[in-house]
Amino acid sequence: RVRVAIKLLHGGRFPITDVAKERFRVEITNAIKLRHPRLVGTYDFGQTSGHDFLVMEYITGGTIASQIKPGRYDDETALRWCAQLLEGLAYLHAQGYIHRDLKPNNLLLTGSGDLKIADLGIVRDLSAEAYLTLTGDQIGSVLYISRHQRERPADANVDDDAHSAACCMYEILSRRRI
């Protein structure tokens, strides 16, 4: 009796390749392992008609991106969101993960106005020996990724996430898109 969001690969903008399927399976594995108040919660996963799916916490407050342009929040709220972003990111890094796609559209707001980091689809597990980044593949959103991450996507590190977080915090604090 809990409202949930269900994520599955449907082949919309991107084709469902073997790499996409494997990335989604890795996302499911990571989402189940990573539990923190600043990350979108994961409840379950499964398969239907041969397609994997992930059952997650349903977040009702929209995205940080949708809040920036109207800017109808006070400075205290902006600073709280920045602190919550850094709290979630510090947890990911402490667990040995790099998000690689921090952007205002991946920062969700709960009904009570708290920030949660979403979309672990291209998270990098620093302890893993195999990566699902092909040579030359750009990982992340171009406005928010560092030059290092653009040039060497397979080598993304905590500094690259820090760059993306700083871009997000600039937007939150200035109430202007980059």
Side-chain angles (χ1 to χ4, degrees):
R1 300 194 186 273
V2 174
R3 191 172 201 174
V4 297
I6 299 175
K7 182 175 183 176
L8 69 139
L9 295 180
H10 58 76
R13 289 190 316 175
F14 305 104
I16 301 177
T17 63
D18 288 341
V19 170
K21 288 178 188 176
E22 186 57 28
R23 277 187 180 153
F24 190 51
R25 288 185 190 115
V26 169
E27 177 180 359
I28 290 169
T29 301
N30 291 334
I32 294 294
K33 284 193 290 189
L34 296 168
R35 299 205 176 272
H36 189 273
R38 297 294 152 239
L39 301 182
V40 173
T42 301
Y43 299 124
D44 205 353
F45 64 97
Q47 198 173 69
T48 184
S49 302
H51 298 285
D52 295 312
F53 65 87
L54 180 61
V55 182
M56 302 177 298
E57 175 181 14
Y58 183 74
I59 307 294
T60 60
T63 67
I64 288 290
S66 69
Q67 299 297 310
I68 289 168
K69 189 172 181 178
R72 293 188 205 113
Y73 52 88
D74 58 24
D75 290 344
E76 184 178 328
T77 299
L79 291 170
R80 183 170 46 86
W81 288 343
C82 291
Q84 290 173 341
L85 167 58
L86 294 176
E87 183 184 337
L89 193 57
Y91 168 79
L92 276 174
H93 292 169
Q95 301 306 307
Y97 290 89
I98 307 299
H99 190 281
R100 300 197 299 178
D101 196 21
L102 286 172
K103 60 185 176 184
N105 279 321
N106 285 341
L107 304 176
L108 305 183
L109 295 170
T110 65
S112 61
D114 288 322
L115 180 144
K116 290 194 177 234
I117 298 172
D119 197 357
L120 301 178
I122 60 171
V123 96
R124 176 180 175 202
D125 179 351
L126 294 175
S127 68
E129 292 186 23
Y131 301 107
L132 294 172
T133 302
L134 301 174
T135 303
D137 274 3
Q138 180 177 308
I139 297 294
S141 299
V142 70
L143 289 176
Y144 303 95
I145 62 173
S146 69
R147 184 166 156 185
H148 173 261
Q149 187 174 343
R150 270 193 307 276
E151 293 173 356
R152 301 180 63 186
D155 296 330
N157 58 44
V158 296
D159 294 339
D160 299 310
D161 270 0
H163 173 91
S164 299
C167 291
C168 292
M169 290 187 297
Y170 168 83
E171 289 192 7
I172 291 168
L173 294 168
S174 71
R175 294 163 178 81
R176 290 191 314 244
R177 299 301 301 260
I178 288 179

